[in-house]
Amino acid sequence: MASNGNLIEVRNLKKYFPAGAGLFRAADAVVKAVDDVSFNIRRGETFGLVGESGCGKSTIGRCILRLIEPTSGQVRFSGQDLLSLSSDDLRRLRRDVQIIFQDPYSSLNPRMTVGQILEEPRVIHNRGDDRSGRRNRVAELLSLVGLEPEHAKRYPHEFSGGQRQRIGIARALALNPKFIVCDEPVSALDVSVQAQVVNLLQDLQEQLGLTYLFISHGLSVVQHISTRVGIMYLGKLVEIATSDEIFNNPLHPYTRALLSAIPIPEPGRRRERLMILGEIPTALNPPSGCNFRTRCPIAEARCAEQEPQLVEVAPGHLVSCMVVAPYSKK
């Protein structure tokens, strides 16, 4: 792991949720929220994970951190298998892996001051600080995220949404982590504030040497912050490439449809609109073969018979499509 530059390595990750028995549902029915997903995150990079709501991207982030337990698969952090760790070992590892939650309103305890919120991780993990040391660290964290030391005495409800998310970022940094899952950290914020928070995350990454998994359905935000991007559809990764390659040369029909919906901020220029027809299938009963075939404009008969695999069609560019992949090699 150390030699190939990967900090996170995910292999064949699955997370199935029991659906329970129903009138038209078997007792052993499951929702395939994440279905056989594999990817790497290199040290110091931002890996963007994009897809529609309910595609499983947030579930992946939580499985990596073991906030929920995967059904099967492997997750390695710096060569260490996270899924085999005992509760004590996992507790120690949480100093190095943290998360920034989507909602800055519900992710902060309203009964605690900002200072108490930022001190809590160091108290729980017994970092050995005395009270004066913890207060100094709180002041450092607030300064890192663009807030003032006196804000430590205030409560979360006294801040705007953007300021609350800065507090959430500061809390994630409290233990000097190496890896942070950013679970749609700007989707609940105004557009003008989103840019400020994204720029802050980039500055912190450069300053502290952080590695991010950035989960979002906002394509423009992902393009701005990500080094590489993975596109998800119905629990599966359908395309992985560098950010420039994804946005300039999308190959999978789903990726192309997503990008065609982004307006071009230049008068007179328009993208060729690629429409996706039909409803999103349910993860309780996905289509046979390719998950996307029921909505795909280029689907063929074989797409219903065989499940496509991620194939490297160019260096670092992987696509899961039997129709696209063979022709893109030529």
Side-chain angles (χ1 to χ4, degrees), residues 8 11 20 64 98 121 176 184 191-192 237 248 250 257 303 315:
I8 297 290
R11 287 288 172 267
I64 290 174
Q98 289 290 315
N176 300 312
E184 304 207 39
V191 174
S192 59
L237 276 169
N248 295 324
C303 298

Side-chain angles (χ1 to χ4, degrees), residues 18-19 21 29 33 61 66 80 91 118 121 152 174 181 183 196 223 238 257 268 275 294 318 320 325 328:
R66 280 186 63 183
Q80 189 174 24
R91 182 187 180 93
L118 299 184
V181 173
D183 188 8
Q196 297 173 18
Q223 182 180 18
V238 297
M275 300 298 295
T294 57
L318 290 79
S320 176
S328 60

